[in-house]
């Protein structure tokens, strides 16, 4: 099994950019939380998930302060600055203008006052943003999934572990009690020998308008496309020009794999946690899926996958339904446990498709408290808070870079199987398919200059 000591140490370089509006933090609003005692944070990407989840997740802590934001859309950068400053003004009961807005994240990374960054960009930028951030000496909270491809995820994990910086992936289910309890119960044999895990994810609709449109003023569309191929701008390919609704890029394979990584990165991470396979992966994978034949949005629709792990556990993935609601079902020789988020949503626009209880079992006795000698897992009651605590204390965080890479890889392996529609054989130590050049060619994608890494 792969462990932390087996990580390959690699690193990549980053560049510099331009900023638009520096400002000064007034000392009068700091109180006992002087700059020397505080974690200064920059937010890279100020869209829906940043505004609804990531920035609020850290600004509630007095020992953290968001002092900068960056977005390739100048309008969003300015609105992000205003959003943060308005919050601190309300919190402190005094006007606050201490946030710098950048239109190039590399300039934010060049700011020596910033200790750590929130990365809430589209999926295809995640690995590059994280690599550049740790190379600049910043700690990272990275929205999931960890990467666009398996190769990029490997580069990200290597760079983070070579840097000594702390990366927390945004798999916040690790910090929800019911998921930890479910994994502890499975590890302690409450359902007997674990045989199968069933993971149910929501779907994405087809559609989207592919008609080319003028690029909005102040939006660096070429850089937004990044290392992916150039395609004409259309609003359904990017994000809404006003407001912060669910963006169209989530449904374009150019920028991500769809729900298999978007939600799958959460649930398959929980499967790995329960199986004690956080630093490994499946050995066999097969799958099928429906893909749209028209419209702009081309990520998978309904799908079914099956993965075999070395210990003999079969992990099945499928589209959720009223009969099989969103969540993770563990089935063993002596019963089952089902765990879900219940009514929790990270964003008001999140496609929650279950009203199930957060934790259920085939027999209520399965859920009774474990004894003092039981296997216990890492306890975190707040995901952003756990990251900040790790930065302050140096203690390990709950979902580090390699764990993030392995859970994302499991999802991407299923996506490759959906495309090839045949059984694949994977070596989780070498991170290569066995005797399969066609599948191995899908581990990476070509990078468009000048955004290659």
């Amino acid at each position: 099994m792969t462990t932390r000591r087996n990580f390959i140490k690699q690193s990549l370089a980053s560049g510099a950019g331009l900023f638009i509006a520096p400002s000064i933090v007034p000392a009068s609003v700091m109180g006992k939380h002087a700059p020397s005692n505080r974690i200064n944070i920059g937010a890279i990407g100020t869209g829906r998930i940043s505004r609804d989840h990531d920035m609020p997740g850290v600004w509630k802590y007095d020992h953290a302060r968001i002092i900068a934001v960056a977005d390739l859309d100048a309008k969003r950068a300015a609105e992000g600055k205003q959003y943060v400053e308005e919050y601190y003004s309300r919190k402190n009961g005094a006007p606050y203008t201490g946030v710098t807005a950048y239109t190039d994240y590399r300039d934010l990374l060049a700011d020596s006052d910033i200790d750590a960054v929130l990365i809430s960009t589209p999926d295809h930028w995640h690995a590059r943003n994280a690599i550049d951030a740790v190379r600049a000496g910043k700690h990272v909270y990275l929205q999931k999934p960890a990467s666009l491809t398996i190769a990029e995820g490997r580069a990200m994990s290597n760079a983070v572990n070579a840097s000594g910086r702390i990366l927390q992936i945004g798999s916040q289910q690790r910090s929800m009690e019911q998921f930890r309890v479910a994994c502890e119960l499975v590890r302690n044999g409450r359902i007997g020998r674990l045989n199968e895990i069933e993971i149910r994810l929501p779907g994405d609709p087809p559609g989207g308008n592919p008609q080319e449109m003028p690029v909005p003023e102040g939006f660096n569309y070429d850089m937004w496309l990044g290392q992916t191929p150039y395609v004409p701008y259309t609003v359904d390919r990017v994000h809404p020009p006003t407001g912060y609704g669910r963006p169209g890029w989530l449904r374009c394979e150019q920028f991500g794999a769809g729900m298999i990584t978007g939600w799958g990165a959460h649930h398959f991470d929980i499967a790995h946690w329960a199986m004690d396979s956080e630093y490994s992966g499946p050995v066999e994978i097969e799958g099928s899926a429906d893909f749209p034949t028209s419209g702009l949005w081309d990520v998978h629709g309904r799908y079914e996958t099956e993965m075999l792990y070395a210990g003999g556990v079969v992990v099945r993935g499928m589209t959720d339904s009223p009969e099989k609601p969103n969540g993770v079902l563990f089935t063993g020789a002596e019963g089952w446990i089902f765990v879900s988020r219940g009514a929790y949503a990270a964003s008001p626009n999140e496609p929650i498709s279950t009203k199930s209880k957060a934790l259920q079992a085939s027999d209520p006795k399965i859920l009774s408290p474990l004894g003092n000698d039981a296997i216990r897992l890492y306890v975190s009651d707040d995901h952003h808070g756990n990251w900040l605590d790790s930065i302050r204390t140096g203690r390990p965080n709950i979902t580090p870079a390699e764990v993030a890479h392995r859970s994302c890889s499991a999802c991407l392996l299923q996506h490759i199987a959906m495309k090839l529609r045949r059984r694949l054989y994977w070596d989780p130590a070498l991170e290569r398919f066995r005797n399969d050049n066609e599948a191995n060619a899908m581990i990476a994608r070509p990078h468009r200059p000048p955004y290659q890494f």
Side-chain angles (χ1 to χ4, degrees):
M1 181 176 292
T2 306
T3 67
R4 295 175 192 263
R5 293 188 295 273
N6 299 134
F7 299 166
I8 302 169
K9 311 298 188 201
Q10 295 179 341
S11 60
L12 297 173
S14 62
L18 301 173
F19 70 91
I20 58 174
S23 56
I24 298 171
V25 179
S28 61
V29 303
M30 298 305 179
K32 64 180 179 179
H33 299 287
S36 60
N37 301 320
R38 196 184 60 223
I39 300 169
N40 287 331
I41 294 173
I44 300 174
T46 61
R48 174 186 61 101
I49 199 67
S50 181
R51 294 170 68 95
D52 292 345
H53 185 62
D54 288 332
M55 291 195 288
V58 299
W59 72 25
K60 65 185 179 183
Y61 290 95
D62 288 336
H63 58 270
R65 176 79 53 165
I66 299 173
I67 68 168
V69 298
D71 201 287
L72 293 172
D73 186 331
K75 180 174 180 290
R76 286 191 162 200
E79 290 176 352
K81 169 182 166 67
Q82 179 183 11
Y83 186 60
V84 177
E85 290 178 344
E86 287 179 348
Y87 169 79
Y88 285 130
S89 295
R90 293 191 304 271
K91 182 176 182 178
N92 295 296
Y96 181 83
T97 57
V99 179
T100 304
Y102 297 95
T103 54
D104 190 321
Y105 78 97
R106 295 171 296 184
D107 230 350
L108 183 150
L109 293 180
D111 185 343
S112 60
D113 288 335
I114 294 174
D115 306 303
V117 293
L118 299 167
I119 297 175
S120 314
T121 54
D123 295 1
H124 64 292
W125 267 103
H126 285 181
R128 172 63 186 269
N129 288 153
I131 290 169
D132 287 349
V134 296
R135 291 287 294 171
K138 316 300 184 187
H139 302 289
V140 174
Y141 187 100
L142 178 65
Q143 259 304 322
K144 53 76 210 164
S147 61
L148 182 65
T149 66
I150 294 171
E152 290 177 16
R154 169 48 55 211
M156 181 277 295
S157 183
N158 289 346
V160 172
N161 286 284
S163 73
R165 300 296 91 185
I166 292 164
L167 182 142
Q168 175 95 299
I169 195 69
S171 296
Q172 69 268 18
Q173 290 181 171
R174 287 261 182 149
S175 296
M176 297 179 185
E177 183 180 19
Q178 71 268 30
F179 286 99
R180 174 178 53 80
V181 169
C183 292
E184 287 180 339
L185 292 169
V186 171
R187 285 212 193 184
N188 282 280
R190 279 293 177 85
I191 57 173
R193 185 183 189 280
L194 179 63
N195 294 323
E196 183 176 301
I197 304 175
E198 197 169 277
I199 292 175
R200 306 151 180 179
L201 306 175
D204 264 318
N209 181 6
Q211 183 65 40
E212 182 175 1
M213 302 176 183
V215 177
E217 184 178 355
F219 178 40
N220 188 344
Y221 177 62
D222 185 78
M223 188 173 183
W224 185 91
L225 288 171
Q227 37 98 345
T228 73
Y230 182 85
V231 287
Y233 172 85
T234 182
V235 68
D236 284 351
R237 180 175 277 128
V238 190
H239 55 250
T242 59
Y244 290 88
R246 193 168 178 81
W249 64 260
L250 284 165
R251 297 164 179 160
C252 298
E253 279 201 334
Q254 180 166 344
F255 313 118
M259 283 295 184
I260 192 62
T261 52
W263 259 82
H266 290 297
H267 286 349
F268 287 98
D269 175 58
I270 297 302
H272 282 183
W273 206 16
M275 287 190 290
D276 193 15
S277 298
E278 300 164 84
Y279 294 91
S280 184
V283 294
E284 298 182 22
I285 314 100
E286 63 180 342
S288 62
D290 296 331
F291 289 92
T293 57
S294 62
L296 177 69
W297 297 333
D298 57 359
V299 296
H300 70 87
R302 296 193 63 82
Y303 84 101
E304 291 184 359
T305 58
E306 180 180 295
M307 298 191 293
L308 174 66
Y309 282 72
V313 178
V314 174
V315 180
R316 303 184 193 279
M318 64 192 65
T319 309
D320 62 10
S321 67
E323 296 75 27
K324 293 193 171 187
N326 185 317
V328 184
L329 175 68
F330 300 99
T331 302
E334 300 172 21
W336 57 261
I337 294 170
F338 177 76
V339 63
S340 76
R341 293 188 182 184
Y344 167 86
S347 166
N349 298 296
E350 193 170 302
I352 293 291
S353 55
T354 180
K355 296 181 180 179
S356 300
K357 291 181 181 179
L359 186 61
Q360 304 173 62
S362 54
D363 185 333
K365 293 180 181 178
I366 291 172
L367 303 181
S368 61
L370 291 164
N372 293 332
D373 59 346
I375 298 168
R376 298 291 183 176
L377 299 176
Y378 192 127
V379 177
S380 165
D381 60 6
D382 185 278
H383 212 58
H384 292 93
N386 175 258
W387 174 61
L388 295 173
D389 183 66
S390 186
I391 293 170
R392 295 176 76 195
T393 66
R395 291 194 293 265
N397 55 307
I398 195 168
T399 49
E402 184 68 10
V403 169
H405 167 59
R406 293 292 180 163
S407 57
C408 183
S409 293
C411 302
L412 291 169
L413 289 169
Q414 292 169 87
H415 187 249
I416 293 171
M418 291 178 198
K419 293 290 187 178
L420 297 180
R421 290 180 175 267
R422 55 183 171 80
R423 199 160 188 86
L424 306 173
Y425 300 88
W426 178 250
D427 186 327
L430 297 177
E431 296 188 290
R432 299 284 293 175
F433 292 101
R434 300 181 188 276
N435 303 316
D436 196 326
N437 292 336
E438 184 182 22
N440 281 323
M442 300 173 75
I443 292 173
R445 297 191 197 182
H447 286 178
R448 181 174 69 100
Y451 305 105
Q452 67 269 34
F453 66 100

